[in-house]
Amino acid sequence: MSAHGNVLEMARQQLAVAAKYLDLDSGLHEVLSKPKRQLIVNFPVVMDDGAVHVFEGCRVQHNATRGPTKGGIRFHQDVDVDETTALAMWMTWKCAVANLPYGGAKGSVKVDTHKLSQRELEKLTRRFATEINIVIGERGDIPAPDIGTNAKVMAWIMDTISMQAGYTTPGVVTGKPIELGGSEGRTEATGRGCIVAMEEAAKTINLDLNGAKIVVQGFGNVGSIAAKIAVEHGAIVVAVSDARGAIYNPNGLPIHDLYTRFSGKDGGILEYKDCEQVTNEQLLELPCEVLIPSAISQQLTKENADKIKAKIVIEGANGPTTPEADDIMSDKGILVVPDILANAGGVIVSYFEWVQDLQNFFWEETEVNEKLSKAMRRSYAAVDATMHQHKTNMRQAAMIIAVKRVAEATITRGIFP
Ligand code: NAD
């Protein structure tokens, strides 16, 4: 089993729980537990020193019943096809919870981008896009950014696919720069959506967010924006981290400064001095009202779940909580807002971007943010109601909604031929 074999196992366990609640037909359960298509590619790149390096990547489409498949592309040294499959499956559920007309997909390349020059990164991206061009497309499967990729990488993918098509196809990826058909508000969408989820969760447990202490793991796209917007809403962010470590100040950190002056620079946030340095493991256990894991999967486990002090966990990352940790935190009365709901803001605004691209008609940021907020609150309310109806936790409630919607779509369409 690969290093991430258990992430796929974790995704399948979550599906099995929902299938039981729904008394799902065993054949349908099997359909949903497997990816529809996995394309694995090994491709060469000529590095700056002239050496040829072969990289491994994949594009996995989990389910296309409700519409074209949608999901990010991850560049990370530890990613593999099993983890990518789990992430594709979570995208199917996430799109269904948000009621978007999409199925789920994910792509990845096993690479440490910190070791590449910009030129190497561009060449790798363009070659990978060419390799997976046989399965992606604006009507069939639409990638977006994830860990290790960003708007610039999306621009290269869009350009590569357009060069091969002979005309510009902005709808083939989302998360593009605004000037190339990107949407206002897309970069901030996932973090912004996390904060909408946090507000809704706080209401249900009567938690005043003004002055509430927030801990954020990961200071990338999702974590840094969530931290910034949380502060704008009056909360105090006491700890943040990146892959190298975490910083903590119980009186609050200057998030705007960290974002503009430290993040993305050589030493990163650890260069900031008016704080205590702690590890990523210690960060998760710090006293706070809200914990927002926004880095990688399997951070809250049976080893540390009992030590989590937060009242609310907002899963900015995909798969940060293992099933054992879920049970422990449920028993402790911690409200865990699951990834497929909490971080859906990204794919919701990706959907808006795709709609704008297909119509060549672009919206203002206020309109995007209003529609995002409405979609998040509507999804949150549906999951909350299902949670009370089935007397379960939020993850299982979100899974029940998602699996039911995909299963019903499958039954209505029928199994071809
Ligand atoms: P990113 O690459 O911008 O940021 C990732 C952050 O996590 C960085 O600060 C990095 O240093 C940190 N990190 C990496 N390895 C770590 C480790 N071992 N321990 C602690 N920190 C570590 O990525 P992102 O787009 O912000 O994505 C973060 C998470 O959110 C991922 O799980 C991703 O799948 C999920 N997500 C992203 C989006 C999106 O729109 N970008 C949407 C939904 C979900």
Side-chain angles (χ1 to χ4, degrees), residues 74 76 87 94 106 145-149 186 190 217-223 241-244 280 294-297 299 316-318 343-344 346-347:
R74 178 173 294 193
H76 195 271
L87 290 161
K94 195 179 299 180
K106 205 82 181 188
D146 192 72
I147 296 180
T149 59
R186 173 60 185 91
T190 311
Q217 187 192 42
F219 204 65
N221 173 272
V222 179
S241 71
D242 64 19
R244 289 169 282 197
N280 260 293
S294 331
I296 52 168
S297 60
Q299 296 301 293
N318 287 310
N343 70 38
V347 72

PDB file of all heavy atoms in Angstrom, residues 74 76 87 94 106 145-149 186 190 217-223 241-244 280 294-297 299 316-318 343-344 346-347, ligand 1:
ATOM      1  N   ARG A  74      -2.801  19.108  -8.003  1.00  0.00           N
ATOM      2  CA  ARG A  74      -1.856  19.243  -6.898  1.00  0.00           C
ATOM      3  C   ARG A  74      -0.450  18.906  -7.371  1.00  0.00           C
ATOM      4  O   ARG A  74      -0.253  17.872  -8.012  1.00  0.00           O
ATOM      5  CB  ARG A  74      -2.288  18.290  -5.769  1.00  0.00           C
ATOM      6  CG  ARG A  74      -1.368  18.300  -4.582  1.00  0.00           C
ATOM      7  CD  ARG A  74      -1.938  17.476  -3.433  1.00  0.00           C
ATOM      8  NE  ARG A  74      -3.158  18.070  -2.879  1.00  0.00           N
ATOM      9  CZ  ARG A  74      -3.710  17.708  -1.726  1.00  0.00           C
ATOM     10  NH1 ARG A  74      -3.149  16.759  -1.009  1.00  0.00           N
ATOM     11  NH2 ARG A  74      -4.815  18.289  -1.290  1.00  0.00           N
ATOM     12  N   HIS A  76       2.902  18.042  -5.549  1.00  0.00           N
ATOM     13  CA  HIS A  76       3.444  17.788  -4.208  1.00  0.00           C
ATOM     14  C   HIS A  76       4.297  16.521  -4.254  1.00  0.00           C
ATOM     15  O   HIS A  76       3.959  15.567  -4.954  1.00  0.00           O
ATOM     16  CB  HIS A  76       2.302  17.638  -3.198  1.00  0.00           C
ATOM     17  CG  HIS A  76       2.737  17.723  -1.769  1.00  0.00           C
ATOM     18  ND1 HIS A  76       3.133  16.618  -1.046  1.00  0.00           N
ATOM     19  CD2 HIS A  76       2.861  18.780  -0.932  1.00  0.00           C
ATOM     20  CE1 HIS A  76       3.478  16.997   0.181  1.00  0.00           C
ATOM     21  NE2 HIS A  76       3.324  18.315   0.271  1.00  0.00           N
ATOM     22  N   LEU A  87      -9.176  12.287  -3.226  1.00  0.00           N
ATOM     23  CA  LEU A  87      -9.500  13.711  -3.403  1.00  0.00           C
ATOM     24  C   LEU A  87     -10.565  13.902  -4.492  1.00  0.00           C
ATOM     25  O   LEU A  87     -11.441  14.759  -4.368  1.00  0.00           O
ATOM     26  CB  LEU A  87      -8.225  14.495  -3.742  1.00  0.00           C
ATOM     27  CG  LEU A  87      -7.218  14.632  -2.582  1.00  0.00           C
ATOM     28  CD1 LEU A  87      -5.828  14.998  -3.096  1.00  0.00           C
ATOM     29  CD2 LEU A  87      -7.684  15.671  -1.560  1.00  0.00           C
ATOM     30  N   LYS A  94     -18.444  17.055  -2.583  1.00  0.00           N
ATOM     31  CA  LYS A  94     -18.453  18.500  -2.341  1.00  0.00           C
ATOM     32  C   LYS A  94     -19.372  19.210  -3.353  1.00  0.00           C
ATOM     33  O   LYS A  94     -20.184  20.058  -2.986  1.00  0.00           O
ATOM     34  CB  LYS A  94     -17.018  19.034  -2.479  1.00  0.00           C
ATOM     35  CG  LYS A  94     -16.820  20.415  -1.928  1.00  0.00           C
ATOM     36  CD  LYS A  94     -15.361  20.858  -2.093  1.00  0.00           C
ATOM     37  CE  LYS A  94     -14.400  19.953  -1.355  1.00  0.00           C
ATOM     38  NZ  LYS A  94     -13.002  20.377  -1.519  1.00  0.00           N
ATOM     39  N   LYS A 106      -9.688  14.973  -9.782  1.00  0.00           N
ATOM     40  CA  LYS A 106      -8.484  15.584  -9.201  1.00  0.00           C
ATOM     41  C   LYS A 106      -7.305  15.174 -10.055  1.00  0.00           C
ATOM     42  O   LYS A 106      -7.322  14.115 -10.685  1.00  0.00           O
ATOM     43  CB  LYS A 106      -8.279  15.064  -7.771  1.00  0.00           C
ATOM     44  CG  LYS A 106      -7.496  15.998  -6.891  1.00  0.00           C
ATOM     45  CD  LYS A 106      -8.395  17.080  -6.329  1.00  0.00           C
ATOM     46  CE  LYS A 106      -7.637  18.052  -5.455  1.00  0.00           C
ATOM     47  NZ  LYS A 106      -8.566  18.982  -4.782  1.00  0.00           N
ATOM     48  N   PRO A 145      -6.776  25.191  -9.268  1.00  0.00           N
ATOM     49  CA  PRO A 145      -5.577  25.091  -8.421  1.00  0.00           C
ATOM     50  C   PRO A 145      -5.806  24.247  -7.164  1.00  0.00           C
ATOM     51  O   PRO A 145      -6.924  24.108  -6.699  1.00  0.00           O
ATOM     52  CB  PRO A 145      -5.298  26.546  -8.005  1.00  0.00           C
ATOM     53  CG  PRO A 145      -6.234  27.395  -8.782  1.00  0.00           C
ATOM     54  CD  PRO A 145      -7.357  26.542  -9.226  1.00  0.00           C
ATOM     55  N   ASP A 146      -4.727  23.707  -6.649  1.00  0.00           N
ATOM     56  CA  ASP A 146      -4.724  23.025  -5.342  1.00  0.00           C
ATOM     57  C   ASP A 146      -3.323  23.252  -4.769  1.00  0.00           C
ATOM     58  O   ASP A 146      -2.606  24.156  -5.240  1.00  0.00           O
ATOM     59  CB  ASP A 146      -5.047  21.531  -5.518  1.00  0.00           C
ATOM     60  CG  ASP A 146      -5.340  20.833  -4.196  1.00  0.00           C
ATOM     61  OD1 ASP A 146      -6.415  21.069  -3.615  1.00  0.00           O
ATOM     62  OD2 ASP A 146      -4.479  20.062  -3.711  1.00  0.00           O
ATOM     63  N   ILE A 147      -2.902  22.428  -3.814  1.00  0.00           N
ATOM     64  CA  ILE A 147      -1.589  22.623  -3.202  1.00  0.00           C
ATOM     65  C   ILE A 147      -0.506  22.647  -4.287  1.00  0.00           C
ATOM     66  O   ILE A 147      -0.470  21.782  -5.165  1.00  0.00           O
ATOM     67  CB  ILE A 147      -1.271  21.501  -2.195  1.00  0.00           C
ATOM     68  CG1 ILE A 147      -2.277  21.547  -1.038  1.00  0.00           C
ATOM     69  CG2 ILE A 147       0.159  21.613  -1.671  1.00  0.00           C
ATOM     70  CD1 ILE A 147      -2.051  20.490   0.010  1.00  0.00           C
ATOM     71  N   GLY A 148       0.352  23.639  -4.241  1.00  0.00           N
ATOM     72  CA  GLY A 148       1.490  23.707  -5.157  1.00  0.00           C
ATOM     73  C   GLY A 148       1.173  24.294  -6.522  1.00  0.00           C
ATOM     74  O   GLY A 148       2.070  24.425  -7.357  1.00  0.00           O
ATOM     75  N   THR A 149      -0.090  24.615  -6.789  1.00  0.00           N
ATOM     76  CA  THR A 149      -0.431  25.262  -8.068  1.00  0.00           C
ATOM     77  C   THR A 149      -1.220  26.538  -7.773  1.00  0.00           C
ATOM     78  O   THR A 149      -1.793  26.681  -6.701  1.00  0.00           O
ATOM     79  CB  THR A 149      -1.273  24.336  -8.977  1.00  0.00           C
ATOM     80  OG1 THR A 149      -2.477  23.976  -8.287  1.00  0.00           O
ATOM     81  CG2 THR A 149      -0.523  23.079  -9.365  1.00  0.00           C
ATOM     82  N   ARG A 186     -12.241  34.711  -6.893  1.00  0.00           N
ATOM     83  CA  ARG A 186     -11.912  33.284  -6.873  1.00  0.00           C
ATOM     84  C   ARG A 186     -10.751  32.980  -5.929  1.00  0.00           C
ATOM     85  O   ARG A 186     -10.789  32.005  -5.179  1.00  0.00           O
ATOM     86  CB  ARG A 186     -11.588  32.760  -8.288  1.00  0.00           C
ATOM     87  CG  ARG A 186     -11.061  31.307  -8.323  1.00  0.00           C
ATOM     88  CD  ARG A 186     -12.061  30.309  -7.744  1.00  0.00           C
ATOM     89  NE  ARG A 186     -11.560  28.934  -7.654  1.00  0.00           N
ATOM     90  CZ  ARG A 186     -10.932  28.412  -6.603  1.00  0.00           C
ATOM     91  NH1 ARG A 186     -10.689  29.145  -5.530  1.00  0.00           N
ATOM     92  NH2 ARG A 186     -10.562  27.147  -6.607  1.00  0.00           N
ATOM     93  N   THR A 190     -12.160  30.198  -1.256  1.00  0.00           N
ATOM     94  CA  THR A 190     -12.175  29.071  -0.316  1.00  0.00           C
ATOM     95  C   THR A 190     -12.067  29.575   1.117  1.00  0.00           C
ATOM     96  O   THR A 190     -12.839  29.165   1.990  1.00  0.00           O
ATOM     97  CB  THR A 190     -11.043  28.075  -0.649  1.00  0.00           C
ATOM     98  OG1 THR A 190     -11.105  27.785  -2.044  1.00  0.00           O
ATOM     99  CG2 THR A 190     -11.186  26.797   0.139  1.00  0.00           C
ATOM    100  N   GLN A 217      -3.933  26.226  10.697  1.00  0.00           N
ATOM    101  CA  GLN A 217      -2.789  25.445  10.217  1.00  0.00           C
ATOM    102  C   GLN A 217      -2.678  25.602   8.703  1.00  0.00           C
ATOM    103  O   GLN A 217      -3.638  25.348   7.979  1.00  0.00           O
ATOM    104  CB  GLN A 217      -2.948  23.959  10.551  1.00  0.00           C
ATOM    105  CG  GLN A 217      -1.687  23.180  10.200  1.00  0.00           C
ATOM    106  CD  GLN A 217      -1.867  21.679  10.236  1.00  0.00           C
ATOM    107  OE1 GLN A 217      -2.871  21.163   9.780  1.00  0.00           O
ATOM    108  NE2 GLN A 217      -0.892  20.981  10.783  1.00  0.00           N
ATOM    109  N   GLY A 218      -1.483  26.018   8.224  1.00  0.00           N
ATOM    110  CA  GLY A 218      -1.304  26.250   6.787  1.00  0.00           C
ATOM    111  C   GLY A 218      -1.565  27.716   6.501  1.00  0.00           C
ATOM    112  O   GLY A 218      -2.634  28.243   6.849  1.00  0.00           O
ATOM    113  N   PHE A 219      -0.586  28.414   5.922  1.00  0.00           N
ATOM    114  CA  PHE A 219      -0.765  29.836   5.609  1.00  0.00           C
ATOM    115  C   PHE A 219      -0.624  30.028   4.104  1.00  0.00           C
ATOM    116  O   PHE A 219       0.042  30.922   3.624  1.00  0.00           O
ATOM    117  CB  PHE A 219       0.263  30.663   6.396  1.00  0.00           C
ATOM    118  CG  PHE A 219      -0.165  32.103   6.607  1.00  0.00           C
ATOM    119  CD1 PHE A 219      -1.270  32.421   7.376  1.00  0.00           C
ATOM    120  CD2 PHE A 219       0.553  33.148   6.039  1.00  0.00           C
ATOM    121  CE1 PHE A 219      -1.662  33.738   7.579  1.00  0.00           C
ATOM    122  CE2 PHE A 219       0.184  34.480   6.233  1.00  0.00           C
ATOM    123  CZ  PHE A 219      -0.936  34.774   7.003  1.00  0.00           C
ATOM    124  N   GLY A 220      -1.249  29.111   3.352  1.00  0.00           N
ATOM    125  CA  GLY A 220      -1.246  29.223   1.895  1.00  0.00           C
ATOM    126  C   GLY A 220      -2.496  29.944   1.441  1.00  0.00           C
ATOM    127  O   GLY A 220      -3.019  30.807   2.156  1.00  0.00           O
ATOM    128  N   ASN A 221      -3.001  29.579   0.278  1.00  0.00           N
ATOM    129  CA  ASN A 221      -4.176  30.269  -0.258  1.00  0.00           C
ATOM    130  C   ASN A 221      -5.351  30.225   0.724  1.00  0.00           C
ATOM    131  O   ASN A 221      -5.896  31.255   1.108  1.00  0.00           O
ATOM    132  CB  ASN A 221      -4.564  29.645  -1.614  1.00  0.00           C
ATOM    133  CG  ASN A 221      -5.878  30.197  -2.130  1.00  0.00           C
ATOM    134  OD1 ASN A 221      -6.938  29.685  -1.807  1.00  0.00           O
ATOM    135  ND2 ASN A 221      -5.822  31.282  -2.879  1.00  0.00           N
ATOM    136  N   VAL A 222      -5.711  29.032   1.152  1.00  0.00           N
ATOM    137  CA  VAL A 222      -6.904  28.898   1.997  1.00  0.00           C
ATOM    138  C   VAL A 222      -6.673  29.503   3.388  1.00  0.00           C
ATOM    139  O   VAL A 222      -7.443  30.333   3.862  1.00  0.00           O
ATOM    140  CB  VAL A 222      -7.302  27.404   2.129  1.00  0.00           C
ATOM    141  CG1 VAL A 222      -8.536  27.257   3.018  1.00  0.00           C
ATOM    142  CG2 VAL A 222      -7.557  26.801   0.759  1.00  0.00           C
ATOM    143  N   GLY A 223      -5.590  29.077   4.050  1.00  0.00           N
ATOM    144  CA  GLY A 223      -5.354  29.480   5.434  1.00  0.00           C
ATOM    145  C   GLY A 223      -5.120  30.968   5.606  1.00  0.00           C
ATOM    146  O   GLY A 223      -5.666  31.595   6.527  1.00  0.00           O
ATOM    147  N   SER A 241       0.657  28.588  10.675  1.00  0.00           N
ATOM    148  CA  SER A 241       1.836  27.760  10.392  1.00  0.00           C
ATOM    149  C   SER A 241       2.037  27.606   8.899  1.00  0.00           C
ATOM    150  O   SER A 241       1.138  27.905   8.106  1.00  0.00           O
ATOM    151  CB  SER A 241       1.661  26.373  11.010  1.00  0.00           C
ATOM    152  OG  SER A 241       0.680  25.651  10.291  1.00  0.00           O
ATOM    153  N   ASP A 242       3.234  27.156   8.535  1.00  0.00           N
ATOM    154  CA  ASP A 242       3.423  26.619   7.189  1.00  0.00           C
ATOM    155  C   ASP A 242       4.164  25.299   7.362  1.00  0.00           C
ATOM    156  O   ASP A 242       4.295  24.800   8.486  1.00  0.00           O
ATOM    157  CB  ASP A 242       4.117  27.622   6.250  1.00  0.00           C
ATOM    158  CG  ASP A 242       5.528  27.980   6.672  1.00  0.00           C
ATOM    159  OD1 ASP A 242       6.125  27.221   7.463  1.00  0.00           O
ATOM    160  OD2 ASP A 242       6.040  29.021   6.210  1.00  0.00           O
ATOM    161  N   ALA A 243       4.657  24.729   6.250  1.00  0.00           N
ATOM    162  CA  ALA A 243       5.262  23.400   6.342  1.00  0.00           C
ATOM    163  C   ALA A 243       6.479  23.395   7.270  1.00  0.00           C
ATOM    164  O   ALA A 243       6.848  22.357   7.817  1.00  0.00           O
ATOM    165  CB  ALA A 243       5.645  22.918   4.947  1.00  0.00           C
ATOM    166  N   ARG A 244       7.094  24.574   7.468  1.00  0.00           N
ATOM    167  CA  ARG A 244       8.326  24.622   8.278  1.00  0.00           C
ATOM    168  C   ARG A 244       8.082  24.757   9.773  1.00  0.00           C
ATOM    169  O   ARG A 244       8.977  24.526  10.573  1.00  0.00           O
ATOM    170  CB  ARG A 244       9.206  25.778   7.800  1.00  0.00           C
ATOM    171  CG  ARG A 244       9.819  25.503   6.431  1.00  0.00           C
ATOM    172  CD  ARG A 244      10.471  26.722   5.847  1.00  0.00           C
ATOM    173  NE  ARG A 244       9.478  27.634   5.289  1.00  0.00           N
ATOM    174  CZ  ARG A 244       9.757  28.611   4.432  1.00  0.00           C
ATOM    175  NH1 ARG A 244      11.002  28.791   4.042  1.00  0.00           N
ATOM    176  NH2 ARG A 244       8.820  29.389   3.963  1.00  0.00           N
ATOM    177  N   ASN A 280       3.923  22.214  14.225  1.00  0.00           N
ATOM    178  CA  ASN A 280       2.589  22.054  13.655  1.00  0.00           C
ATOM    179  C   ASN A 280       1.715  21.167  14.536  1.00  0.00           C
ATOM    180  O   ASN A 280       0.504  21.364  14.629  1.00  0.00           O
ATOM    181  CB  ASN A 280       2.681  21.470  12.242  1.00  0.00           C
ATOM    182  CG  ASN A 280       2.545  22.555  11.188  1.00  0.00           C
ATOM    183  OD1 ASN A 280       1.486  23.153  11.040  1.00  0.00           O
ATOM    184  ND2 ASN A 280       3.625  22.822  10.472  1.00  0.00           N
ATOM    185  N   SER A 294      -5.813  23.996   7.452  1.00  0.00           N
ATOM    186  CA  SER A 294      -5.880  24.363   6.021  1.00  0.00           C
ATOM    187  C   SER A 294      -4.594  23.984   5.307  1.00  0.00           C
ATOM    188  O   SER A 294      -4.105  24.746   4.477  1.00  0.00           O
ATOM    189  CB  SER A 294      -6.076  25.866   5.826  1.00  0.00           C
ATOM    190  OG  SER A 294      -6.750  26.440   6.859  1.00  0.00           O
ATOM    191  N   ALA A 295      -4.038  22.828   5.666  1.00  0.00           N
ATOM    192  CA  ALA A 295      -2.794  22.421   5.010  1.00  0.00           C
ATOM    193  C   ALA A 295      -2.996  21.091   4.287  1.00  0.00           C
ATOM    194  O   ALA A 295      -3.427  21.082   3.126  1.00  0.00           O
ATOM    195  CB  ALA A 295      -1.672  22.339   6.035  1.00  0.00           C
ATOM    196  N   ILE A 296      -2.695  20.002   4.968  1.00  0.00           N
ATOM    197  CA  ILE A 296      -2.729  18.704   4.289  1.00  0.00           C
ATOM    198  C   ILE A 296      -3.665  17.746   5.031  1.00  0.00           C
ATOM    199  O   ILE A 296      -4.242  18.109   6.050  1.00  0.00           O
ATOM    200  CB  ILE A 296      -1.310  18.111   4.174  1.00  0.00           C
ATOM    201  CG1 ILE A 296      -0.638  18.099   5.554  1.00  0.00           C
ATOM    202  CG2 ILE A 296      -0.469  18.888   3.181  1.00  0.00           C
ATOM    203  CD1 ILE A 296       0.626  17.295   5.611  1.00  0.00           C
ATOM    204  N   SER A 297      -3.770  16.512   4.529  1.00  0.00           N
ATOM    205  CA  SER A 297      -4.720  15.560   5.114  1.00  0.00           C
ATOM    206  C   SER A 297      -4.156  14.890   6.368  1.00  0.00           C
ATOM    207  O   SER A 297      -2.951  14.957   6.641  1.00  0.00           O
ATOM    208  CB  SER A 297      -5.101  14.507   4.076  1.00  0.00           C
ATOM    209  OG  SER A 297      -3.960  13.825   3.668  1.00  0.00           O
ATOM    210  N   GLN A 299      -4.338  15.284   9.754  1.00  0.00           N
ATOM    211  CA  GLN A 299      -3.672  16.050  10.812  1.00  0.00           C
ATOM    212  C   GLN A 299      -4.330  15.812  12.165  1.00  0.00           C
ATOM    213  O   GLN A 299      -3.684  15.875  13.196  1.00  0.00           O
ATOM    214  CB  GLN A 299      -3.716  17.547  10.474  1.00  0.00           C
ATOM    215  CG  GLN A 299      -2.935  17.885   9.225  1.00  0.00           C
ATOM    216  CD  GLN A 299      -1.481  17.489   9.367  1.00  0.00           C
ATOM    217  OE1 GLN A 299      -0.754  18.052  10.162  1.00  0.00           O
ATOM    218  NE2 GLN A 299      -1.061  16.483   8.614  1.00  0.00           N
ATOM    219  N   GLY A 316     -10.631  23.550   6.378  1.00  0.00           N
ATOM    220  CA  GLY A 316     -10.211  24.247   5.162  1.00  0.00           C
ATOM    221  C   GLY A 316      -9.518  23.275   4.220  1.00  0.00           C
ATOM    222  O   GLY A 316      -9.697  23.314   3.005  1.00  0.00           O
ATOM    223  N   ALA A 317      -8.724  22.373   4.787  1.00  0.00           N
ATOM    224  CA  ALA A 317      -8.017  21.365   3.983  1.00  0.00           C
ATOM    225  C   ALA A 317      -8.969  20.238   3.623  1.00  0.00           C
ATOM    226  O   ALA A 317     -10.041  20.102   4.210  1.00  0.00           O
ATOM    227  CB  ALA A 317      -6.847  20.811   4.774  1.00  0.00           C
ATOM    228  N   ASN A 318      -8.558  19.417   2.682  1.00  0.00           N
ATOM    229  CA  ASN A 318      -9.307  18.213   2.357  1.00  0.00           C
ATOM    230  C   ASN A 318      -8.788  17.052   3.190  1.00  0.00           C
ATOM    231  O   ASN A 318      -7.581  16.802   3.223  1.00  0.00           O
ATOM    232  CB  ASN A 318      -9.155  17.893   0.867  1.00  0.00           C
ATOM    233  CG  ASN A 318      -9.951  18.858   0.011  1.00  0.00           C
ATOM    234  OD1 ASN A 318     -11.129  19.086   0.256  1.00  0.00           O
ATOM    235  ND2 ASN A 318      -9.298  19.453  -0.988  1.00  0.00           N
ATOM    236  N   ASN A 343     -14.928  23.852   2.892  1.00  0.00           N
ATOM    237  CA  ASN A 343     -14.053  24.466   1.880  1.00  0.00           C
ATOM    238  C   ASN A 343     -14.684  24.480   0.483  1.00  0.00           C
ATOM    239  O   ASN A 343     -13.977  24.672  -0.515  1.00  0.00           O
ATOM    240  CB  ASN A 343     -12.655  23.834   1.906  1.00  0.00           C
ATOM    241  CG  ASN A 343     -12.622  22.413   1.398  1.00  0.00           C
ATOM    242  OD1 ASN A 343     -13.315  22.058   0.454  1.00  0.00           O
ATOM    243  ND2 ASN A 343     -11.782  21.579   2.009  1.00  0.00           N
ATOM    244  N   ALA A 344     -16.009  24.332   0.424  1.00  0.00           N
ATOM    245  CA  ALA A 344     -16.692  24.295  -0.880  1.00  0.00           C
ATOM    246  C   ALA A 344     -16.694  25.651  -1.585  1.00  0.00           C
ATOM    247  O   ALA A 344     -17.011  25.737  -2.777  1.00  0.00           O
ATOM    248  CB  ALA A 344     -18.124  23.804  -0.706  1.00  0.00           C
ATOM    249  N   GLY A 346     -14.379  27.361  -2.745  1.00  0.00           N
ATOM    250  CA  GLY A 346     -13.486  27.361  -3.914  1.00  0.00           C
ATOM    251  C   GLY A 346     -14.185  26.837  -5.152  1.00  0.00           C
ATOM    252  O   GLY A 346     -14.181  27.486  -6.215  1.00  0.00           O
ATOM    253  N   VAL A 347     -14.820  25.689  -5.016  1.00  0.00           N
ATOM    254  CA  VAL A 347     -15.455  25.120  -6.215  1.00  0.00           C
ATOM    255  C   VAL A 347     -16.734  25.894  -6.564  1.00  0.00           C
ATOM    256  O   VAL A 347     -17.106  25.982  -7.740  1.00  0.00           O
ATOM    257  CB  VAL A 347     -15.682  23.592  -6.084  1.00  0.00           C
ATOM    258  CG1 VAL A 347     -16.789  23.239  -5.118  1.00  0.00           C
ATOM    259  CG2 VAL A 347     -15.975  22.996  -7.459  1.00  0.00           C
TER     260      VAL A 347
HETATM  261  P1  NAD B   1      -1.213  26.149  -0.699  1.00  0.00           P
HETATM  262  O1  NAD B   1      -0.144  25.387  -1.369  1.00  0.00           O
HETATM  263  O2  NAD B   1      -1.502  27.547  -1.111  1.00  0.00           O
HETATM  264  O3  NAD B   1      -0.926  26.190   0.896  1.00  0.00           O
HETATM  265  C1  NAD B   1      -0.662  25.059   1.656  1.00  0.00           C
HETATM  266  C2  NAD B   1      -0.120  25.498   3.007  1.00  0.00           C
HETATM  267  O4  NAD B   1       0.094  24.337   3.821  1.00  0.00           O
HETATM  268  C3  NAD B   1       1.244  26.210   2.918  1.00  0.00           C
HETATM  269  O5  NAD B   1       1.316  27.218   3.913  1.00  0.00           O
HETATM  270  C4  NAD B   1       2.226  25.070   3.238  1.00  0.00           C
HETATM  271  O6  NAD B   1       3.462  25.558   3.740  1.00  0.00           O
HETATM  272  C5  NAD B   1       1.445  24.329   4.284  1.00  0.00           C
HETATM  273  N1  NAD B   1       1.893  22.937   4.459  1.00  0.00           N
HETATM  274  C6  NAD B   1       2.307  22.063   3.508  1.00  0.00           C
HETATM  275  N2  NAD B   1       2.701  20.917   4.081  1.00  0.00           N
HETATM  276  C7  NAD B   1       2.480  21.060   5.409  1.00  0.00           C
HETATM  277  C8  NAD B   1       2.686  20.227   6.540  1.00  0.00           C
HETATM  278  N3  NAD B   1       3.200  19.002   6.405  1.00  0.00           N
HETATM  279  N4  NAD B   1       2.348  20.708   7.754  1.00  0.00           N
HETATM  280  C9  NAD B   1       1.840  21.954   7.894  1.00  0.00           C
HETATM  281  N5  NAD B   1       1.656  22.804   6.869  1.00  0.00           N
HETATM  282  C10 NAD B   1       1.964  22.338   5.650  1.00  0.00           C
HETATM  283  O7  NAD B   1      -2.525  25.240  -0.794  1.00  0.00           O
HETATM  284  P2  NAD B   1      -4.031  25.661  -0.617  1.00  0.00           P
HETATM  285  O8  NAD B   1      -4.618  25.879  -1.951  1.00  0.00           O
HETATM  286  O9  NAD B   1      -4.145  26.700   0.437  1.00  0.00           O
HETATM  287  O10 NAD B   1      -4.668  24.286  -0.075  1.00  0.00           O
HETATM  288  C11 NAD B   1      -4.603  23.927   1.297  1.00  0.00           C
HETATM  289  C12 NAD B   1      -5.622  22.831   1.553  1.00  0.00           C
HETATM  290  O11 NAD B   1      -6.927  23.297   1.195  1.00  0.00           O
HETATM  291  C13 NAD B   1      -5.417  21.554   0.750  1.00  0.00           C
HETATM  292  O12 NAD B   1      -5.813  20.456   1.538  1.00  0.00           O
HETATM  293  C14 NAD B   1      -6.354  21.724  -0.420  1.00  0.00           C
HETATM  294  O13 NAD B   1      -6.729  20.494  -0.995  1.00  0.00           O
HETATM  295  C15 NAD B   1      -7.509  22.405   0.271  1.00  0.00           C
HETATM  296  N6  NAD B   1      -8.397  23.168  -0.623  1.00  0.00           N
HETATM  297  C16 NAD B   1      -7.922  24.171  -1.411  1.00  0.00           C
HETATM  298  C17 NAD B   1      -8.794  24.878  -2.208  1.00  0.00           C
HETATM  299  C18 NAD B   1      -8.355  26.055  -3.047  1.00  0.00           C
HETATM  300  O14 NAD B   1      -9.221  26.708  -3.654  1.00  0.00           O
HETATM  301  N7  NAD B   1      -7.078  26.402  -3.088  1.00  0.00           N
HETATM  302  C19 NAD B   1     -10.157  24.553  -2.235  1.00  0.00           C
HETATM  303  C20 NAD B   1     -10.606  23.533  -1.405  1.00  0.00           C
HETATM  304  C21 NAD B   1      -9.718  22.853  -0.601  1.00  0.00           C
END
